Amino acid sequence: MYMNKKYRGVVVPMVTPVTKEGALDTDAVVRIIEFFAQAGVSPLLMGTTGEGNSVSQADGLLFVETAVKAARQRITIYAGLTGNCFSEQLRQAEAYTKAGADVIVATLPTYYALTPEQMENYYRRLADAITGPLMLYNILATTHMSIPVDVIRRLADHPNIVGLKDSERDLERMAQCIEIAKGREDFCYFCGWAAQSAHSLELGGDGIVPSTGNYVPEMFQQLYEAAVAGDMTTANRLQDETNEIAKIYQKDRMLGQSLTALKVMMQTKGLCEPWMLMPLTRLTEEEEKAIRDALD
């Protein structure tokens, strides 16, 4: 039985569109947000897919301001928070909230390996200090740390922590975290492992965060709606179809390479150009052509 929680549904980890010179492409931001709004999905700005660690503070604020204005309150705006300086994170979180972001989504600081106690303390202090609601973001692949399930269980009771986005590829952990969120209106679970979107919803997850949604947001919205309605045949079919689309930009590529490949796919829909923020770079002309040919 699905609860009608405030935070639920499809949240696409939006790419950060930039110009050749590395400036935020605000026109592309408007196009992508409109593309998402038409499909009924929300964006997560400056997450892993959005090169969050490479976006400057000034461009981060401009990104949020542009997305909020383009969204016109039709969809929820999730703003990613990264970095290692706590005081700067606090200032940025407050700036994003003041600019209209609905939820702050924070990964762990990543320079030092942290104990479970330090992880919990970090999130409690962040949640205590910021105005907007906070969502935990667990992603072992990039932070090289995993927030223990017991820590998540305790943090779920904090009045300003509203959920968890978990991208760790661990089915047992997924089930445990979904159980934490089940039956309560004040804490939600979002699956960041796109290939397990349908499965996580069948288990009772509240939402999904698929990077391939940048290209086919409508398919993930249909997948979500089917799963919530109990139509797992349709949900699993859409899961298989979106998995095949994901292979076009992910197969045999490192994460950073896959992100520019995803932008090439979006370029075919007139959404953005495949420029990247340093240290990431574009693919070769031959690689980009191969992606476009695969789509044809």
Side-chain angles (χ1 to χ4, degrees):
M1 181 70 180
Y2 279 86
M3 299 180 69
N4 193 30
K5 297 186 183 182
K6 183 175 181 179
Y7 305 113
R8 64 188 189 280
V10 182
V11 178
V12 177
M14 180 175 162
V15 302
T16 297
V18 295
T19 66
K20 183 177 181 179
E21 294 72 30
L24 183 71
D25 187 342
T26 53
D27 290 339
V29 171
V30 173
R31 288 194 297 271
I32 297 169
I33 291 294
E34 183 60 32
F35 183 54
F36 287 178
Q38 291 293 327
V41 307
S42 294
L44 165 59
L45 312 180
M46 295 170 290
T48 303
T49 304
E51 304 168 74
N53 279 285
S54 301
V55 179
S56 70
Q57 290 192 7
D59 274 350
L61 181 55
L62 178 60
F63 196 175
V64 173
E65 291 171 339
T66 305
V68 168
K69 184 177 180 180
R72 304 199 308 275
Q73 298 184 324
R74 292 173 293 172
I75 50 180
T76 303
I77 302 295
Y78 297 79
L81 192 67
T82 59
N84 294 310
C85 178
F86 190 69
S87 61
E88 289 181 358
Q89 284 188 312
L90 293 183
R91 285 194 293 271
Q92 204 70 359
E94 289 302 276
Y96 292 165
T97 299
K98 186 176 180 180
D102 298 294
V103 184
I104 300 298
V105 185
T107 60
L108 288 168
T110 59
Y111 189 82
Y112 299 106
L114 303 176
T115 67
E117 292 76 18
Q118 288 170 330
M119 295 179 194
E120 183 170 350
N121 180 61
Y122 165 74
Y123 279 119
R124 286 192 182 280
R125 289 190 60 186
L126 184 60
D128 287 342
I130 67 175
T131 303
L134 175 66
M135 184 172 288
L136 315 175
Y137 182 0
N138 183 67
I139 178 162
L140 175 63
T142 58
T143 66
H144 309 292
M145 291 180 283
S146 176
I147 308 170
V149 174
D150 285 346
V151 170
I152 292 168
R153 185 175 290 109
R154 291 192 293 271
L155 289 172
D157 291 329
H158 191 290
N160 201 36
I161 295 177
V162 298
L164 165 71
K165 184 225 165 177
D166 202 324
S167 298
E168 191 163 336
R169 299 188 172 199
D170 182 328
L171 290 174
E172 182 179 356
R173 175 191 172 87
M174 175 193 293
Q176 292 173 341
C177 290
I178 288 173
E179 283 302 315
I180 293 172
K182 265 187 180 180
R184 56 188 300 170
E185 296 181 353
D186 60 343
F187 190 82
C188 58
Y189 173 89
F190 280 79
C191 178
W193 183 4
Q196 294 295 331
S197 295
H199 179 61
S200 71
L201 293 169
E202 186 175 24
L203 290 179
D206 301 296
I208 54 178
V209 192
S211 59
T212 310
N214 279 281
Y215 183 69
V216 283
E218 72 287 349
M219 292 182 71
F220 284 99
Q221 181 63 20
Q222 292 163 11
L223 186 159
Y224 171 78
E225 291 173 357
V228 169
D231 181 5
M232 292 310 302
T233 299
T234 298
N236 287 322
R237 173 180 59 79
L238 287 163
Q239 181 73 77
D240 291 340
E241 291 174 2
T242 55
N243 287 349
E244 289 303 308
I245 294 170
K247 290 178 183 178
I248 297 173
Y249 70 97
Q250 292 177 351
K251 191 175 188 302
D252 299 326
R253 291 191 176 93
M254 296 173 64
L255 176 58
Q257 294 173 311
S258 75
L259 301 184
T260 185
L262 177 57
K263 287 185 180 180
V264 173
M265 293 171 64
M266 295 175 72
Q267 184 185 36
T268 67
K269 292 189 174 184
L271 294 169
C272 68
E273 297 294 317
W275 299 109
M276 303 297 288
L277 292 168
M278 286 288 290
L280 300 181
T281 56
R282 282 183 71 158
L283 300 175
T284 65
E285 290 184 9
E286 292 77 13
E287 288 174 308
E288 291 187 5
K289 182 179 183 301
I291 293 168
R292 290 190 289 270
D293 289 347
L295 295 175
D296 292 338

